[in-house]
Amino acid sequence: MKKTDKSQLFVLHFAGGNIYSLRFISAFLTDFEVIPLELPGRGKRMTAPLLHDFEEAADDIYRQIITQRNHMPFMIFGHSLGAYLALAAAQRLEQQQQPPACIFTSGNAGPGIRSTHNWHQLNDQDFIEKLTTLGGLPPEFLDSPELLEFYLPIIRADFKLAEKSSFASHRINIPIYAMMGSKEKTMGEIGNWQQFTNALFRYSLFEGGHFFIDEHAEKIAAIIRTFYHSISSTVKEKLS
């Protein structure tokens, strides 16, 4: 893959997602190189086995970022499960003196908030009901036993990653910008993300539920661009 001279944004999908899940953001960020990543077992990595251990998943994302980085500053955006992976990858990158300029977390109030769910252990019918409440299961899935049979193991494996995630106790020295939908039950706890950084913390709430991102792509892109440029001088000083 040819590397550009643009600042990069690595995008991490939600549970059951792939590299195409958040591609709508790219249209509003043409001044950046937007690189969607995906875990094994789906999309272009369909033949690779699914991961069931969060640390292995975080290592996988870390390796993908290291491999595709250019010489420019970069950012990480993660939605839901992707938000956990963004933080875990940032911790690893900082330990290797290659930290992102900032990370953006979306649809997730952060580690430690109501983390006792074990949805991945539910039977198929109850699991589907839970997924339906989140709004991320397309209607055509419910009408197709074949699609459900194919995708449910992927979604279930990803939920296990999210529900069994763990994090090192140290804070990162990387700015965090958190976003959530106003209808999410844990939106009032979005400030929880602040305890995971020693650097700048900001957040925004959007009208909508867990998948508010589908309705606010342009606004989210504007936040990413504005926040990056607000800290870019500090980032460039660190790189020089």
Side-chain angles (χ1 to χ4, degrees):
M1 180 180 294
K2 184 178 179 181
K3 297 181 179 180
T4 71
D5 290 327
K6 294 181 179 180
S7 295
Q8 296 172 307
L9 174 68
F10 292 95
V11 180
L12 312 183
H13 58 73
F14 46 83
N18 55 43
I19 60 172
Y20 305 107
S21 298
L22 302 175
R23 60 184 174 181
F24 54 84
I25 295 179
S26 302
F28 302 105
L29 289 170
T30 56
D31 45 335
F32 294 88
E33 182 185 9
V34 181
I35 305 175
L37 305 179
E38 65 185 357
L39 292 171
R42 83 286 313 281
K44 294 183 177 181
R45 305 181 71 188
M46 183 64 68
T47 58
L50 291 166
L51 296 178
H52 298 273
D53 179 80
F54 181 80
E55 296 302 318
E56 291 182 8
D59 287 342
D60 182 274
I61 295 297
Y62 163 78
R63 287 191 294 268
Q64 289 187 66
I65 292 174
I66 288 295
T67 300
Q68 299 186 58
R69 271 206 61 200
N70 61 16
H71 64 285
M72 297 292 288
F74 68 100
M75 305 169 284
I76 306 173
F77 174 96
H79 182 73
S80 197
L81 167 63
Y84 286 143
L85 291 170
L87 176 60
Q91 290 175 335
R92 286 159 168 75
L93 289 158
E94 186 172 56
Q95 289 170 356
Q96 297 301 317
Q97 287 76 54
Q98 298 190 62
C102 56
I103 67 172
F104 297 91
T105 64
S106 171
N108 188 325
I113 300 298
R114 303 187 188 182
S115 59
T116 58
H117 289 309
N118 284 296
W119 287 8
H120 71 279
Q121 294 180 334
L122 295 173
N123 62 52
D124 284 354
Q125 181 177 348
D126 291 341
F127 190 50
I128 290 170
E129 288 180 4
K130 292 294 185 181
L131 294 176
T132 303
T133 64
L134 289 176
L137 200 62
E140 58 267 24
F141 276 47
L142 300 176
D143 299 325
S144 173
E146 292 79 11
L147 281 175
L148 285 173
E149 183 179 2
F150 180 79
Y151 280 105
L152 277 184
I154 298 173
I155 302 173
R156 193 182 293 277
D158 287 357
F159 264 78
K160 182 178 180 180
L161 294 179
E163 292 169 355
K164 299 300 180 182
S165 59
S166 59
F167 292 86
S169 58
H170 70 274
R171 296 184 177 204
I172 56 175
N173 297 298
I174 299 165
I176 296 177
Y177 199 114
M179 308 177 212
M180 289 187 73
S182 60
K183 297 179 182 177
E184 293 204 70
K185 291 181 180 180
T186 58
M187 66 90 178
E189 298 173 278
I190 190 172
N192 175 58
W193 281 107
Q194 187 166 14
Q195 69 174 305
F196 294 96
T197 179
N198 292 318
L200 184 66
F201 171 74
R202 294 287 185 270
Y203 72 87
S204 290
L205 295 175
F206 293 81
E207 179 65 28
H210 188 61
F211 285 95
F212 70 91
I213 51 175
D214 295 335
E215 303 166 12
H216 300 287
E218 189 169 3
K219 291 181 180 179
I220 292 170
I223 285 175
I224 291 172
R225 179 181 295 105
T226 300
F227 192 64
Y228 171 74
H229 287 303
S230 73
I231 63 172
S232 60
S233 60
T234 301
V235 174
K236 290 176 181 177
E237 287 177 7
K238 290 181 179 179
L239 291 175
S240 62

